[in-house]
DNA sequence: ACATTTATGTCAACATAGCTGACATAATTC
DNA sequence: GAATTATGTCAGCTATGTTGACATAAATGT
C-alpha cells in the first residue's frame, strides 16, 4: 500500500531538528494538542463544581499574576472581546472572587484584584497543573525544561512573544 | 519585598528544574497557553474561509495521519461524543473532503479517508503550523526540540501518553 | 436460528464561550 | 465644552461541546 504519487510517510523518527521532517512536525503539533488537553483537564473538573469554565480560570490566573491589572490589560492578554470577558468577569466579581478598585491615576479604570477567596480558589485550580508540570519537569530534567520553554517562546510571533514575556515578567504596562 | 507569609514571587528565572519554583511553573502554564494559541491561529483563519472550525482541522489531521481510521478510533483520539463528531464529520463528507469506506473485515465500520481535495486542504491548513514549528525548532536547536517533545509527552497521564504515542506512531489499533 | 452486542447515525435540547453591533456612562484630555 | 477613552451592557449569532433517546445493520454468542 505504498503511495504512488505523493510520498506521505517517509520521515524517520530520529533527526528531530535542523530540517525536521514532516512526520516530526506533525507529531509535535499532536503533542501540543494532547499536552494542552492534559494540562487543562484537572482544573476543568474543579471548575465544573462551581459552574465555571476554562475562561474563568484564565481570568483568575492572570489577575492573580498581575494584581491591579486593568480590564483593558486583561482583555489584551486574553485576546477576547470585552463582551466575552464580561460574561466571565461579572460572575467572578458577583461571587466575591475578584474585586474591582477604581484606578488611582485614572478613575475610569477598574483595577482587578483577587480576594482571599479568589486567591484560594485559583490556588486550588492551578495546584494540579503545577503538580503535573513538576512531575514532567523532574522526569525530563533541567535541559529538557529549558528546551520546552525555549520552543514555546519561539513559537510565537515577535509581537505575541513580546507581550507574553511582558506578562510573564509580571511587569505592568507603563 | 520578601513575602511574610505566602511567598508568591520568589523564584529566579534560572534553575528551572529539580524543584522548580511556583513562578517557573506558572510561567510554563502561560507559555503553553500562548504557544497553543499561536499554533492554532494561522489555520483558524484559513478555516474561516470555508465556514469550518478548529474541530474540522483536527478531524482532517488525524484522518490524514491514519488513513482507514474508524469512526470509533477517531472518537477515541479526539475525546468527544459521536454527536459532536458527527456535526464536524458530516460536512466534511458532504463537501467531499472525507470519504467513508465500508470496513473489509467488519462491514459495520466506516473507515475514514481523505479525498484528494481533503488532503490538499489539510496540507494548506497545517502548512503554516509546520512553518511555525520549523522556524521555532531551527532557532531553538535540536536539543531544545528533544526537551520540548519530552516534556509534552511526560505531561500526559500514563494512559493518555500510551494512546497519544500510538497515534503518533501512526499504528492502527489491531 | 435467534438474541444480544457493537458500530454507526441521527434527532432534539441544552451549555459555554467566542463573536459583532449598538448604545450608555463617567472620566480624561484636547 | 467637545472629543476621546475605559468600561459596562443588551441583543443576537456561531461553533463546539454535552445528554438522552432511538434506529439500523452487522457481528457474535448460545
Amino acid at each position: 500500500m505504498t503511495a504512488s504519487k505523493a510520498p506521505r510517510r517517509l520521515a524517520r523518527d530520529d533527526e528531530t531538528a535542523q530540517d525536521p521532517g514532516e512526520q516530526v512536525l506533525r507529531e509535535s503539533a499532536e503533542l501540543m494538542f494532547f499536552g494542552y488537553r492534559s494540562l487543562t483537564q484537572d482544573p476543568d473538573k474543579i471548575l465544573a463544581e462551581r459552574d465555571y469554565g476554562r475562561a474563568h480560570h484564565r481570568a483568575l490566573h492572570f489577575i492573580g499574576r498581575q494584581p491591579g491589572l486593568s480590564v483593558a490589560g486583561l482583555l489584551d492578554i486574553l485576546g477576547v472581546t470585552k463582551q466575552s470577558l464580561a460574561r466571565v468577569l461579572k460572575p467572578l466579581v458577583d461571587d466575591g472572587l475578584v474585586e474591582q478598585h477604581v484606578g488611582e491615576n485614572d478613575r475610569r479604570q477598574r483595577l482587578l484584584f483577587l480576594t482571599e477567596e479568589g486567591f484560594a480558589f485559583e490556588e486550588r485550580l492551578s495546584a494540579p497543573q503545577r503538580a503535573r508540570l513538576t512531575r514532567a519537569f523532574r522526569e525530563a530534567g533541567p535541559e529538557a525544561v529549558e528546551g520546552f520553554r525555549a520552543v514555546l517562546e519561539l513559537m510565537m510571533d515577535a509581537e505575541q512573544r513580546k507581550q507574553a514575556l511582558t506578562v510573564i515578567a509580571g511587569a505592568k504596562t507603563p
Side-chain angles (χ1 to χ4, degrees), chain A:
Chain A
M1 208 179 172
T2 322
S4 50
K5 289 177 187 176
R8 300 189 183 179
R9 291 263 184 88
L10 289 176
R12 301 214 315 287
D13 266 326
D14 46 289
E15 195 75 33
T16 54
Q18 302 293 45
D19 188 15
E22 159 143 356
Q23 175 86 347
V24 166
L25 295 171
R26 287 193 181 273
E27 283 172 15
S28 301
E30 284 161 11
L31 282 170
M32 280 295 286
F33 169 64
F34 290 121
Y36 192 79
R37 194 168 64 180
S38 291
L39 199 62
T40 48
Q41 71 188 2
D42 315 284
D44 282 358
K45 280 175 208 146
I46 301 170
L47 288 157
E49 290 173 16
R50 290 235 200 178
D51 239 62
Y52 291 154
R54 205 173 289 177
H56 299 81
H57 185 191
R58 288 200 285 263
L60 290 172
H61 174 101
F62 286 112
I63 295 169
R65 286 276 280 168
Q66 282 165 272
L69 186 66
S70 70
V71 171
L74 185 53
L75 284 175
D76 207 40
I77 292 169
L78 296 176
V80 299
T81 59
K82 65 177 173 178
Q83 297 92 327
S84 205
L85 176 59
R87 201 160 28 195
V88 164
L89 201 50
K90 200 162 182 296
L92 292 175
V93 172
D94 291 349
D95 296 351
L97 302 184
V98 171
E99 274 178 2
Q100 300 183 292
H101 299 323
V102 170
E104 294 176 2
N105 301 332
D106 188 336
R107 296 191 9 194
R108 291 170 303 180
Q109 291 184 327
R110 297 301 125 101
L111 306 184
L112 304 167
F113 298 86
L114 296 186
T115 63
E116 276 299 309
E117 195 187 343
F119 186 75
F121 188 56
E122 205 288 326
E123 278 289 309
R124 255 192 84 208
L125 287 174
S126 58
Q129 284 195 324
R130 281 179 279 127
R132 188 178 285 274
L133 286 173
T134 300
R135 182 174 55 80
F137 285 2
R138 179 165 31 75
E139 291 179 29
E143 284 186 23
V145 173
E146 278 310 318
F148 168 72
R149 291 161 58 92
V151 169
L152 283 176
E153 206 174 299
L154 290 165
M155 200 175 293
M156 304 179 219
D157 303 314
E159 264 194 35
Q160 281 254 325
R161 176 158 56 243
K162 199 173 147 191
Q163 195 224 351
L165 294 185
T166 305
V167 171
I168 282 173
K172 294 167 196 169
T173 27

